[in-house]
Each structure stands twice: as C-alpha cells, then as structure tokens.
C-alpha cells in the first residue's frame, strides 16, 4: 500500500488496520489502546476528538456544525461522560459563503447552549480556493464522568442484551441525496441528534449499562464488531428485530448499498444487563430521539469475538466488519 | 463581506475581527474571552487546539507532524502548562503517499516521546483526491499548570521587559522556499521547535514571568499587539535590538515581505519583571533553542494599548497589527 486510500478513513477493516499498525504501534499507551470513542485522561475527565468533512455542509435535517457538536456529545455519552467544554477548529476554503459559515456557527451554538457546553478554545484557518472543498470542522470535547459510571465496562455476561435506538442509514441517505448521488421522491431526514439526555436518564435510573457506542462510519456492522472485539464475546443479532426505515431500505436495494454499513449520527448501540432491559426500553421510549429502540441481539458466549446474524430468511451468517469502499465524507 | 477571505485566517486584524464578531459574540464565556493560546478548563488543566494546513508538508527543518506537536507544546507553554495528553485528527487526501504519512507520524512521535506526552484519542478522515491538498492535522493538547503559575498574568508594571527568544521569520521563509515562492542560494532552516523546556526552567527559577506567547501567524507585530491589548499597556520596542537573521531580512527586502509579520514556530515573546530580566536572559542563553534571546522592549505606560517602535533610523512609529494579505498555509 503506497498511497492512502479512501478505505483508510471508512471506519471499516482498513481503518482498523491503519489504526493498529500506524497509530497504536507508534503511540501505544493504556489510555489510547482501549480504542473507545474517547479517553479517560484522569479519574473524572474524558476527551474525544473528531474532524467533520461532510459534503455538502448542509443536508436534510442538519448541517456540518450541528453534526460536529452532536458527534462530540455522542462520543462523550458513549463513555458515560457529561459534555462540558469543547474546542473548535475551523478550516475554511477561501470564498466560502459567509452566510453559510454564520448559519453553521448558529447551529453549533443552539446545541452547545442546550447542553451548557462552553466553547473554550479555537482556531481558524483559511485555505486557498481549490485547495479544500468547502469547510472542515474539528471539535474536541471534554466531559466529566457522570455518577462514577465508567464505560465501556469490563464485565460482560451471557444474556446481556444489545439494543439499537432507532433505524439506521437515514443520515447517510440524506447526505447522499444532498450530494446528488441518490435520487428519490419524498424526503429522508438525517438522524443527527445529541444523545446525552437519554443516556443520562439510563444512568440516573441505575440501569447497568455496559457498553454504548454511537453508530457512525462503518454503520451498525462496525459498531457490533467493535463491541464483540472489545468485550471478547460472541453476540447474536436478529435481523428481523433491527429497526428499519423502509424508504432507506428500498434506496439501499436500488443503489446496492449495505444498509448495515451506512453511517448514522443519532443512533446508539447500548448493551445492558438482561435484568435491566425492560426498564431500559421503557426509559428510551420516553425520549423522541430513542423512541424506536429495540432489542436486536444478545451475548451468547464469552469467547472469541464474533457477530452472528440470524437473517430474515432463517439462516445464520457472520456479520463482518465492513471492508469495501464506503462513500467518503458522510461525517 | 459575503465570502470568507484568506485574511480571516491570517492572524492579523481580520482574524481578530472575525473572532470578536462571529465567535466571541456567539459563544461568549469567561474562559473563551481571555483569548489566550488556550483555556484553563479547571483549576489545574489547560487545553489548546490548532489545525495545521502547512504546504508543502515537508520543508527545510521540519514537517507538518513536527509542527503540529511543537505548536501544541508552545501554546501550552505560553499558558505556563506542562504538556501531558494530546488528541490527533488526521485529514488526508486520497492518494497521499503512505511513506510521507509514516514519516509525519514518526516525527510527531519523536517529540511526544521526548516530552512524555500521551496520545489518547484520535480520528482519521480521508477525502477524495482533488478535494484537499495533501494533509491537515488537528492537534488538541492538554497540559497541567506548572507550579501554580497562571499565565497570562493579570498585573503589569511600567518597566516590565519584553524579550524575544530568537530571530523571526525563518519558518515562513523555509516554507515559502519549499513551496517555490521564494528562491535563494544556501539554506534557511525553519525555527520550529518545542519550547516547554526553556519555559519550565524560568518557572523553576522563580522568574516572575507575566506573559508568554509563541510567535506564529501574524508574526512579531501580532504578538506584541496582542500583549499590549491584553495587558492594556503601552509598550516601546527597540528595532535595533530585535534579533534578525540577515539572510531572512534580505529575502524580505527582495520580495517585499514585512519581516515583523512573518510567522515563526519556535520563538517566544516573554514579558518579565525588570528585576528578573538578567536571570531570565542567562537561563534562556543556556538552551540552544533560546540562546539568541534579547530584550526588545518594555512597558512604558499603563494606559491605552499601543505598540511604539523606535526605528533603526531614529524615528518612532506605531507597530500595528498586520492587516494585509499574508501568505496562507505557513502553519
């Protein structure tokens, strides 16, 4: 591999390979090697970083500003941390419409205000026209562990339930439509949303949450494989139970996309102790952002990491980490 | 202003205007409004963020990887904070040579190792060929206040001395040469360097350091104006005392650059109590990276912010914040 390919940033197998061979191998330390959505930098504080390159910067249901703040909040929520501070680095192409930039900043402010997140440091770079395509935003978030929860947890049991908080793929399809790559009648709205509130509700209710991850690049397949890998468990997924937006599914069928590899920006995979699953579903159903939550699987063995899917057609298949070319700049 | 112009990212007047009118006005809070090189997020912890877009990514004396880690260290050092953790977000153009990426990462590792900085979280995005020019790296750094120093300080006195730790402009000229914008015989090496060690030595020696800032975009003029603005003082600069690399100066003369607006990546402006200035110069002279330090000015009035320069030719001029088009992608 002499040149960097798109797949290095896809969130799938090639990304994993790159991270293991070029990042972990060089910068190895116990905080980094956990490979979570962020890192505990001391007893109470969690940090996460992401650069957002979504194109176009505005799409049905959101924009790059909203996406960047939601992505940060969801990464912290996945660590059980309450968002508190953020930094923002803007990288802008010369000639980018100022009104778009203002709208993007307004959109960020709306969500930071709602969550009492303080922007504390930033940076602005402008790159010559033609040397960048629009705008890139990096957001680094700092959160505090909430009620001493430490996620991802270390202990897993056979029977722990895997929950998905809503249908997958809407964000990807909304962006691809705005980019002119897919066409269809009607509207699909990106699922982009900040998910700290529903997570906090679970922690407040003493639900034994063991693992949370937001479904982003690499889609549901990637998150489930990351969970199996992290927890060293075999999990079984019931395809029939996966919440699906029928319109998204039919677009996937027409264009040949794998719906389980499509990025979301407002869905979580949550693993809870089986005794707490009813309460979890009840609490999630109370929030508009997670009201379509369903149990989609469970841990079946504490053994070699593996994701097995019971397909709609009755057979079992291995649900692998996505490995092909996935469309770039969805997030 | 309907489109974002290069000057918004130049570090000069237009950047200040943008930050005040679009960032501070929206996201105002006491931590952000200090407008330092980073923010104190709690009693002990300091955070800073920067995206590096330098082009080309390799230049005489350094590369974008080294630059990104040094920039982060120097921003923390400017707050009196010891660097401890960092996040790294890579944004790479499809087709970027893998060997270059490895060299950039090696270069980052060399400096993080030397300073015991742990990389704790990261992100990798790959953008389609032609939609980005090479590579952009965002680094967010977390440091801890060192020996209870809080910088920038709040109290200033007439007579406080302004020190510059070495000649200015070498980094800019080295990058512009690598980009083919300037040509000359011989070599000018970028000044890029991590400056926590000399800063720590000053703090260890109980020097009353009041203000430190690394000279980056906007050059010496910008930093001196930022200092005057922050401290609400009038300062006098002696042009004759400013350390100059004669070769850089002659290139500036030929190409019409203002040497005092050129970015460095390894020079600090340090303001100290006049009683400590000899000890400060002695300590700085002991480190190769700061051995050419000189007193270049002093606070002459506690009044309206202003930078007065006593020119080489005897007259006094106002040294203003740079406002013109400054070449982009120097850092």
């Amino acid at each position: 591999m002499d040149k960097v390919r798109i797949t290095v940033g896809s969130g799938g197998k090639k990304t994993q390979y790159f991270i293991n061979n070029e990042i972990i191998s060089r910068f190895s330390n116990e905080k980094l090697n956990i490979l979570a959505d962020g890192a505990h930098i001391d007893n109470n504080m969690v940090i996460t970083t992401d650069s957002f390159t979504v194109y176009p910067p505005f799409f049905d249901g959101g924009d790059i500003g909203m996406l960047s703040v939601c992505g940060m909040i969801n990464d912290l929520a996945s660590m059980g941390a309450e968002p508190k501070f953020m930094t923002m680095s803007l990288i802008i192409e010369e000639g980018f419409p100022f009104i778009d930039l203002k709208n993007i900043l307004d959109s960020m402010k709306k969500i930071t205000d709602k969550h009492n997140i303080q922007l504390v440091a930033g940076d602005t770079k402008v790159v010559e026209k033609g040397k960048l395509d629009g705008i890139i935003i990096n957001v680094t978030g700092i959160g505090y562990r909430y009620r001493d929860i430490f996620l991802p947890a270390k202990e897993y049991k056979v029977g722990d339930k895997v929950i998905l908080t809503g249908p997958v793929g809407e964000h990807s399809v909304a962006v691809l439509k705005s980019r002119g790559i897919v066409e269809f009648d009607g509207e699909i709205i990106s699922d982009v949303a900040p998910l700290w509130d529903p997570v906090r509700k679970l922690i407040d209710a003493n639900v034994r949450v063991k693992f949370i991850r937001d479904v982003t690049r690499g889609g549901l397949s990637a998150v489930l494989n990351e969970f199996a890998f992290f927890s060293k468990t075999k999990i079984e997924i019931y395809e029939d139970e996966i919440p699906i937006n029928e319109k998204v599914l039919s677009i996937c069928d027409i264009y040949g996309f794998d719906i389980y590899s499509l990025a979301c920006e407002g869905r979580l995979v949550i693993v809870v102790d089986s005794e707490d699953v009813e309460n979890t579903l009840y609490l999630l159903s109370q929030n508009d952002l997670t009201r379509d939550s369903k149990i989609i699987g469970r841990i079946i063995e504490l053994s070699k990491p593996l994701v097995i899917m019971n397909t709609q057609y009755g057979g079992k298949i291995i649900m692998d980490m996505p490995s092909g070319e996935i469309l770039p700049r969805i997030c």
Side-chain angles (χ1 to χ4, degrees), chain A residues 302-313:
Chain A
L302 305 179
S303 63
K304 201 172 152 242
L306 198 64
V307 183
I308 303 288
M309 183 192 269
N310 293 291
T311 71
Q312 288 187 300
Y313 315 103

Side-chain angles (χ1 to χ4, degrees), chain A residues 289-305:
Chain A
L289 301 173
T290 53
R291 76 181 129 72
D292 296 324
S293 296
K294 288 187 79 174
I295 301 168
I296 64 163
R298 63 191 176 106
I299 294 178
I300 53 173
E301 261 182 50
L302 305 179
S303 63
K304 201 172 152 242

Side-chain angles (χ1 to χ4, degrees), chain A residues 16 39 52 171 206 268 317:
Chain A
Q16 274 196 325
F52 294 83
H171 172 70
N206 298 314
L268 300 172
I317 58 167

Side-chain angles (χ1 to χ4, degrees), chain A residues 4 31 50 84 116 216 301 317:
Chain A
V4 175
K31 294 181 198 303
D50 263 309
K84 187 80 182 155
N116 290 315
T216 59
E301 261 182 50
I317 58 167

